[in-house]
Structures are given as C-alpha cells and as structure tokens.
mmCIF file of all heavy atoms in Angstrom:
data_model
loop_
_atom_site.group_PDB
_atom_site.id
_atom_site.type_symbol
_atom_site.label_atom_id
_atom_site.label_comp_id
_atom_site.label_asym_id
_atom_site.label_seq_id
_atom_site.Cartn_x
_atom_site.Cartn_y
_atom_site.Cartn_z
ATOM 1 N N VAL A 1104 66.092 163.417 67.653
ATOM 2 C CA VAL A 1104 66.096 162.249 66.833
ATOM 3 C C VAL A 1104 66.949 162.395 65.574
ATOM 4 O O VAL A 1104 67.668 161.415 65.192
ATOM 5 C CB VAL A 1104 64.580 161.947 66.505
ATOM 6 C CG1 VAL A 1104 64.467 160.913 65.400
ATOM 7 C CG2 VAL A 1104 63.754 161.563 67.680
ATOM 8 N N LEU A 1105 66.893 163.609 64.931
ATOM 9 C CA LEU A 1105 67.796 163.737 63.761
ATOM 10 C C LEU A 1105 69.201 163.684 64.127
ATOM 11 O O LEU A 1105 70.011 163.016 63.377
ATOM 12 C CB LEU A 1105 67.462 165.184 63.177
ATOM 13 C CG LEU A 1105 66.142 165.331 62.556
ATOM 14 C CD1 LEU A 1105 65.903 166.811 62.113
ATOM 15 C CD2 LEU A 1105 66.070 164.437 61.249
ATOM 16 N N MET A 1106 69.642 164.205 65.285
ATOM 17 C CA MET A 1106 71.049 164.036 65.715
ATOM 18 C C MET A 1106 71.443 162.548 65.948
ATOM 19 O O MET A 1106 72.489 162.168 65.547
ATOM 20 C CB MET A 1106 71.272 164.853 66.909
ATOM 21 C CG MET A 1106 71.244 166.366 66.682
ATOM 22 S SD MET A 1106 71.560 167.271 68.138
ATOM 23 C CE MET A 1106 73.291 166.850 68.507
ATOM 24 N N ILE A 1107 70.559 161.808 66.581
ATOM 25 C CA ILE A 1107 70.818 160.402 66.796
ATOM 26 C C ILE A 1107 70.943 159.631 65.431
ATOM 27 O O ILE A 1107 71.807 158.730 65.313
ATOM 28 C CB ILE A 1107 69.698 159.732 67.674
ATOM 29 C CG1 ILE A 1107 69.800 160.381 69.109
ATOM 30 C CG2 ILE A 1107 69.853 158.239 67.753
ATOM 31 C CD1 ILE A 1107 68.698 159.974 69.971
ATOM 32 N N VAL A 1108 70.019 159.898 64.494
ATOM 33 C CA VAL A 1108 70.167 159.295 63.208
ATOM 34 C C VAL A 1108 71.457 159.593 62.463
ATOM 35 O O VAL A 1108 72.125 158.716 61.897
ATOM 36 C CB VAL A 1108 68.924 159.635 62.312
ATOM 37 C CG1 VAL A 1108 69.118 159.204 60.940
ATOM 38 C CG2 VAL A 1108 67.638 159.159 62.899
ATOM 39 N N GLU A 1109 71.849 160.907 62.559
ATOM 40 C CA GLU A 1109 73.087 161.381 61.927
ATOM 41 C C GLU A 1109 74.306 160.639 62.620
ATOM 42 O O GLU A 1109 75.197 160.261 61.929
ATOM 43 C CB GLU A 1109 73.187 162.757 62.032
ATOM 44 C CG GLU A 1109 72.291 163.593 61.142
ATOM 45 C CD GLU A 1109 72.389 165.070 61.277
ATOM 46 O OE1 GLU A 1109 73.215 165.545 62.121
ATOM 47 O OE2 GLU A 1109 71.668 165.838 60.613
ATOM 48 N N LEU A 1110 74.283 160.608 63.906
ATOM 49 C CA LEU A 1110 75.364 159.929 64.593
ATOM 50 C C LEU A 1110 75.490 158.484 64.305
ATOM 51 O O LEU A 1110 76.617 157.861 63.986
ATOM 52 C CB LEU A 1110 75.224 160.009 66.109
ATOM 53 C CG LEU A 1110 75.515 161.374 66.728
ATOM 54 C CD1 LEU A 1110 75.183 161.451 68.151
ATOM 55 C CD2 LEU A 1110 77.017 161.698 66.556
ATOM 56 N N LEU A 1111 74.295 157.786 64.144
ATOM 57 C CA LEU A 1111 74.317 156.310 63.690
ATOM 58 C C LEU A 1111 74.823 156.230 62.275
ATOM 59 O O LEU A 1111 75.493 155.204 62.008
ATOM 60 C CB LEU A 1111 72.978 155.786 63.855
ATOM 61 C CG LEU A 1111 72.432 155.554 65.402
ATOM 62 C CD1 LEU A 1111 71.007 155.084 65.354
ATOM 63 C CD2 LEU A 1111 73.359 154.607 66.134
ATOM 64 N N MET A 1112 74.512 157.132 61.450
ATOM 65 C CA MET A 1112 74.992 157.055 60.047
ATOM 66 C C MET A 1112 76.479 157.229 59.930
ATOM 67 O O MET A 1112 77.149 156.687 59.147
ATOM 68 C CB MET A 1112 74.224 158.061 59.196
ATOM 69 C CG MET A 1112 72.644 157.700 59.047
ATOM 70 S SD MET A 1112 71.856 159.023 58.120
ATOM 71 C CE MET A 1112 72.799 158.989 56.564
ATOM 72 N N VAL A 1113 77.027 158.130 60.801
ATOM 73 C CA VAL A 1113 78.443 158.431 60.705
ATOM 74 C C VAL A 1113 79.296 157.462 61.528
ATOM 75 O O VAL A 1113 80.317 156.934 61.074
ATOM 76 C CB VAL A 1113 78.713 159.862 61.197
ATOM 77 C CG1 VAL A 1113 80.215 160.125 61.217
ATOM 78 C CG2 VAL A 1113 77.971 160.784 60.229
ATOM 79 N N VAL A 1114 78.892 157.167 62.777
ATOM 80 C CA VAL A 1114 79.709 156.402 63.680
ATOM 81 C C VAL A 1114 79.041 155.049 64.088
ATOM 82 O O VAL A 1114 79.169 154.547 65.169
ATOM 83 C CB VAL A 1114 80.216 157.134 64.945
ATOM 84 C CG1 VAL A 1114 81.122 158.307 64.542
ATOM 85 C CG2 VAL A 1114 78.955 157.717 65.728
ATOM 86 N N GLY A 1115 78.140 154.609 63.149
ATOM 87 C CA GLY A 1115 77.375 153.374 63.566
ATOM 88 C C GLY A 1115 78.240 152.120 63.499
ATOM 89 O O GLY A 1115 79.368 152.168 63.088
ATOM 90 N N PRO A 1116 77.687 150.979 63.881
ATOM 91 C CA PRO A 1116 78.535 149.785 63.967
ATOM 92 C C PRO A 1116 78.960 149.260 62.589
ATOM 93 O O PRO A 1116 79.909 148.541 62.507
ATOM 94 C CB PRO A 1116 77.489 148.793 64.539
ATOM 95 C CG PRO A 1116 76.205 149.364 64.378
ATOM 96 C CD PRO A 1116 76.383 150.803 64.369
ATOM 97 N N GLN A 1117 78.291 149.781 61.475
ATOM 98 C CA GLN A 1117 78.829 149.334 60.169
ATOM 99 C C GLN A 1117 80.086 150.058 59.800
ATOM 100 O O GLN A 1117 80.744 149.638 58.797
ATOM 101 C CB GLN A 1117 77.689 149.532 59.109
ATOM 102 C CG GLN A 1117 77.394 151.042 58.889
ATOM 103 C CD GLN A 1117 76.341 151.609 59.792
ATOM 104 O OE1 GLN A 1117 76.074 151.032 60.834
ATOM 105 N NE2 GLN A 1117 75.741 152.824 59.483
ATOM 106 N N HIS A 1118 80.416 151.196 60.457
ATOM 107 C CA HIS A 1118 81.564 151.827 60.094
ATOM 108 C C HIS A 1118 82.776 151.674 61.178
ATOM 109 O O HIS A 1118 83.942 151.801 60.791
ATOM 110 C CB HIS A 1118 81.369 153.398 60.047
ATOM 111 C CG HIS A 1118 80.410 153.726 59.013
ATOM 112 N ND1 HIS A 1118 80.603 153.497 57.588
ATOM 113 C CD2 HIS A 1118 79.162 154.184 58.995
ATOM 114 C CE1 HIS A 1118 79.533 153.942 56.891
ATOM 115 N NE2 HIS A 1118 78.615 154.282 57.725
ATOM 116 N N PHE A 1119 82.432 151.310 62.419
ATOM 117 C CA PHE A 1119 83.429 151.167 63.354
ATOM 118 C C PHE A 1119 83.258 149.813 64.096
ATOM 119 O O PHE A 1119 82.136 149.222 64.081
ATOM 120 C CB PHE A 1119 83.305 152.301 64.443
ATOM 121 C CG PHE A 1119 83.744 153.676 63.864
ATOM 122 C CD1 PHE A 1119 82.782 154.540 63.356
ATOM 123 C CD2 PHE A 1119 85.026 154.023 63.907
ATOM 124 C CE1 PHE A 1119 83.198 155.739 62.847
ATOM 125 C CE2 PHE A 1119 85.492 155.241 63.422
ATOM 126 C CZ PHE A 1119 84.552 156.131 62.932
ATOM 127 N N GLY A 1120 84.217 149.293 64.758
ATOM 128 C CA GLY A 1120 84.156 148.148 65.478
ATOM 129 C C GLY A 1120 85.488 147.364 65.349
ATOM 130 O O GLY A 1120 86.323 147.674 64.503
ATOM 131 N N LEU A 1121 85.715 146.353 66.157
ATOM 132 C CA LEU A 1121 86.937 145.639 66.121
ATOM 133 C C LEU A 1121 87.155 144.759 64.863
ATOM 134 O O LEU A 1121 88.205 144.484 64.508
ATOM 135 C CB LEU A 1121 86.919 144.614 67.338
ATOM 136 C CG LEU A 1121 87.078 145.325 68.676
ATOM 137 C CD1 LEU A 1121 87.115 144.318 69.836
ATOM 138 C CD2 LEU A 1121 88.370 146.252 68.767
ATOM 139 N N ASP A 1122 85.945 144.551 64.129
ATOM 140 C CA ASP A 1122 86.120 143.837 62.869
ATOM 141 C C ASP A 1122 86.588 144.812 61.760
ATOM 142 O O ASP A 1122 87.195 144.355 60.783
ATOM 143 C CB ASP A 1122 84.783 143.146 62.510
ATOM 144 C CG ASP A 1122 83.651 144.249 62.483
ATOM 145 O OD1 ASP A 1122 83.775 145.303 63.118
ATOM 146 O OD2 ASP A 1122 82.672 143.971 61.785
ATOM 147 N N LYS A 1123 86.383 146.142 61.959
ATOM 148 C CA LYS A 1123 86.847 147.083 61.011
ATOM 149 C C LYS A 1123 88.273 147.591 61.352
ATOM 150 O O LYS A 1123 89.091 147.782 60.507
ATOM 151 C CB LYS A 1123 85.947 148.305 60.917
ATOM 152 C CG LYS A 1123 84.511 147.945 60.568
ATOM 153 C CD LYS A 1123 84.298 147.665 59.167
ATOM 154 C CE LYS A 1123 82.893 147.466 58.764
ATOM 155 N NZ LYS A 1123 82.675 147.096 57.269
ATOM 156 N N TYR A 1124 88.558 147.845 62.646
ATOM 157 C CA TYR A 1124 89.741 148.337 63.064
ATOM 158 C C TYR A 1124 90.281 147.517 64.269
ATOM 159 O O TYR A 1124 89.500 147.226 65.153
ATOM 160 C CB TYR A 1124 89.652 149.805 63.594
ATOM 161 C CG TYR A 1124 89.195 150.789 62.485
ATOM 162 C CD1 TYR A 1124 87.898 151.077 62.387
ATOM 163 C CD2 TYR A 1124 90.102 151.273 61.536
ATOM 164 C CE1 TYR A 1124 87.404 152.000 61.419
ATOM 165 C CE2 TYR A 1124 89.684 152.197 60.537
ATOM 166 C CZ TYR A 1124 88.265 152.490 60.466
ATOM 167 O OH TYR A 1124 87.856 153.306 59.534
ATOM 168 N N ALA A 1125 91.523 147.153 64.177
ATOM 169 C CA ALA A 1125 92.099 146.381 65.314
ATOM 170 C C ALA A 1125 92.188 147.110 66.492
ATOM 171 O O ALA A 1125 92.379 148.342 66.516
ATOM 172 C CB ALA A 1125 93.438 145.777 64.807
ATOM 173 N N ALA A 1126 92.082 146.394 67.653
ATOM 174 C CA ALA A 1126 92.283 147.160 68.942
ATOM 175 C C ALA A 1126 93.647 147.649 69.074
ATOM 176 O O ALA A 1126 94.626 147.035 68.644
ATOM 177 C CB ALA A 1126 91.939 146.158 70.045
ATOM 178 N N PRO A 1127 93.845 148.850 69.675
ATOM 179 C CA PRO A 1127 95.167 149.412 69.817
ATOM 180 C C PRO A 1127 96.025 148.548 70.834
ATOM 181 O O PRO A 1127 95.429 147.984 71.738
ATOM 182 C CB PRO A 1127 94.924 150.864 70.380
ATOM 183 C CG PRO A 1127 93.531 150.755 70.978
ATOM 184 C CD PRO A 1127 92.765 149.764 70.201
ATOM 185 N N ALA A 1128 97.258 148.608 70.496
ATOM 186 C CA ALA A 1128 98.210 147.823 71.356
ATOM 187 C C ALA A 1128 98.255 148.309 72.684
ATOM 188 O O ALA A 1128 98.273 149.582 72.867
ATOM 189 C CB ALA A 1128 99.541 147.741 70.706
ATOM 190 N N LYS A 1129 98.379 147.457 73.730
ATOM 191 C CA LYS A 1129 98.455 147.895 75.167
ATOM 192 C C LYS A 1129 99.868 148.462 75.374
ATOM 193 O O LYS A 1129 100.842 147.863 74.828
ATOM 194 C CB LYS A 1129 98.185 146.784 76.110
ATOM 195 C CG LYS A 1129 96.720 146.299 75.993
ATOM 196 C CD LYS A 1129 95.714 147.368 76.436
ATOM 197 C CE LYS A 1129 94.319 146.859 76.392
ATOM 198 N NZ LYS A 1129 93.312 147.876 76.823
ATOM 199 N N HIS A 1130 100.010 149.456 76.140
ATOM 200 C CA HIS A 1130 101.299 150.001 76.540
ATOM 201 C C HIS A 1130 101.913 149.377 77.763
ATOM 202 O O HIS A 1130 101.155 148.796 78.545
ATOM 203 C CB HIS A 1130 101.218 151.516 76.600
ATOM 204 C CG HIS A 1130 100.837 152.241 75.318
ATOM 205 N ND1 HIS A 1130 101.696 152.438 74.323
ATOM 206 C CD2 HIS A 1130 99.618 152.835 74.969
ATOM 207 C CE1 HIS A 1130 101.032 153.080 73.318
ATOM 208 N NE2 HIS A 1130 99.884 153.326 73.733
ATOM 209 N N ALA A 1131 103.092 149.580 77.921
ATOM 210 C CA ALA A 1131 103.825 149.010 79.146
ATOM 211 C C ALA A 1131 103.458 149.803 80.375
ATOM 212 O O ALA A 1131 102.779 150.939 80.273
ATOM 213 C CB ALA A 1131 105.297 149.028 78.925
ATOM 214 N N ALA A 1132 103.784 149.389 81.570
ATOM 215 C CA ALA A 1132 103.379 149.942 82.778
ATOM 216 C C ALA A 1132 104.061 151.344 83.003
ATOM 217 O O ALA A 1132 103.486 152.254 83.620
ATOM 218 C CB ALA A 1132 103.651 149.037 84.032
ATOM 219 N N ASP A 1133 105.277 151.507 82.426
ATOM 220 C CA ASP A 1133 105.993 152.776 82.563
ATOM 221 C C ASP A 1133 105.546 153.719 81.465
ATOM 222 O O ASP A 1133 106.272 154.778 81.396
ATOM 223 C CB ASP A 1133 107.452 152.465 82.567
ATOM 224 C CG ASP A 1133 107.921 151.803 81.278
ATOM 225 O OD1 ASP A 1133 107.089 151.337 80.490
ATOM 226 O OD2 ASP A 1133 109.187 151.775 81.074
ATOM 227 N N TYR A 1134 104.618 153.460 80.682
ATOM 228 C CA TYR A 1134 104.152 154.420 79.595
ATOM 229 C C TYR A 1134 103.476 155.630 80.253
ATOM 230 O O TYR A 1134 102.801 155.594 81.121
ATOM 231 C CB TYR A 1134 103.137 153.726 78.666
ATOM 232 C CG TYR A 1134 102.608 154.646 77.636
ATOM 233 C CD1 TYR A 1134 103.304 155.073 76.520
ATOM 234 C CD2 TYR A 1134 101.257 155.104 77.785
ATOM 235 C CE1 TYR A 1134 102.728 155.932 75.556
ATOM 236 C CE2 TYR A 1134 100.722 155.930 76.875
ATOM 237 C CZ TYR A 1134 101.466 156.337 75.782
ATOM 238 O OH TYR A 1134 100.860 157.199 74.825
ATOM 239 N N SER A 1135 103.910 156.883 79.727
ATOM 240 C CA SER A 1135 103.307 158.080 80.237
ATOM 241 C C SER A 1135 102.700 158.849 79.147
ATOM 242 O O SER A 1135 103.325 159.270 78.167
ATOM 243 C CB SER A 1135 104.429 158.948 80.809
ATOM 244 O OG SER A 1135 103.987 160.290 81.181
ATOM 245 N N ASN A 1136 101.378 158.951 79.181
ATOM 246 C CA ASN A 1136 100.600 159.640 78.172
ATOM 247 C C ASN A 1136 100.960 161.207 78.171
ATOM 248 O O ASN A 1136 101.012 161.800 77.138
ATOM 249 C CB ASN A 1136 99.145 159.470 78.347
ATOM 250 C CG ASN A 1136 98.257 160.276 77.488
ATOM 251 O OD1 ASN A 1136 97.760 161.254 77.775
ATOM 252 N ND2 ASN A 1136 98.173 159.801 76.220
ATOM 253 N N THR A 1137 101.121 161.657 79.371
ATOM 254 C CA THR A 1137 101.538 163.127 79.500
ATOM 255 C C THR A 1137 102.860 163.422 78.795
ATOM 256 O O THR A 1137 103.035 164.442 78.130
ATOM 257 C CB THR A 1137 101.584 163.433 80.934
ATOM 258 O OG1 THR A 1137 100.406 163.102 81.581
ATOM 259 C CG2 THR A 1137 101.838 164.954 81.143
ATOM 260 N N LYS A 1138 103.845 162.517 78.973
ATOM 261 C CA LYS A 1138 105.158 162.714 78.382
ATOM 262 C C LYS A 1138 105.055 162.654 76.799
ATOM 263 O O LYS A 1138 105.588 163.528 76.078
ATOM 264 C CB LYS A 1138 106.141 161.648 78.819
ATOM 265 C CG LYS A 1138 107.532 161.709 78.254
ATOM 266 C CD LYS A 1138 108.302 160.622 78.687
ATOM 267 C CE LYS A 1138 109.707 160.635 78.020
ATOM 268 N NZ LYS A 1138 110.634 159.520 78.382
#
C-alpha cells in the first residue's frame, strides 16, 4: 500500500498525461529504433 501511494504521488495523473506533455511524434515506416 505504501508503494502504491508513493507511485501515485510521483507518477499520478496530476503530474503526467497528455494535458501535461504532448504525445510524441509518430515516426516514419522506415524508422529503426535499433539504428
């Protein structure tokens, strides 16, 4: 329970979300994450 409360305090919806940070741009089909 303590770990869940700590996680919600750190990464809860009040700190993260599309309203806080914009969604990352989509890459093209030839994009290689490994490269």
Side-chain angles (χ1 to χ4, degrees):
V1104 170
L1105 288 175
M1106 290 181 64
I1107 291 173
V1108 170
E1109 290 176 357
L1110 285 173
L1111 290 176
M1112 291 174 62
V1113 175
V1114 295
Q1117 68 273 15
H1118 299 294
F1119 290 93
L1121 293 179
D1122 54 339
K1123 302 285 184 182
Y1124 300 96
K1129 297 293 182 182
H1130 296 286
D1133 59 347
Y1134 172 78
S1135 174
N1136 176 256
T1137 307
K1138 178 183 176 183

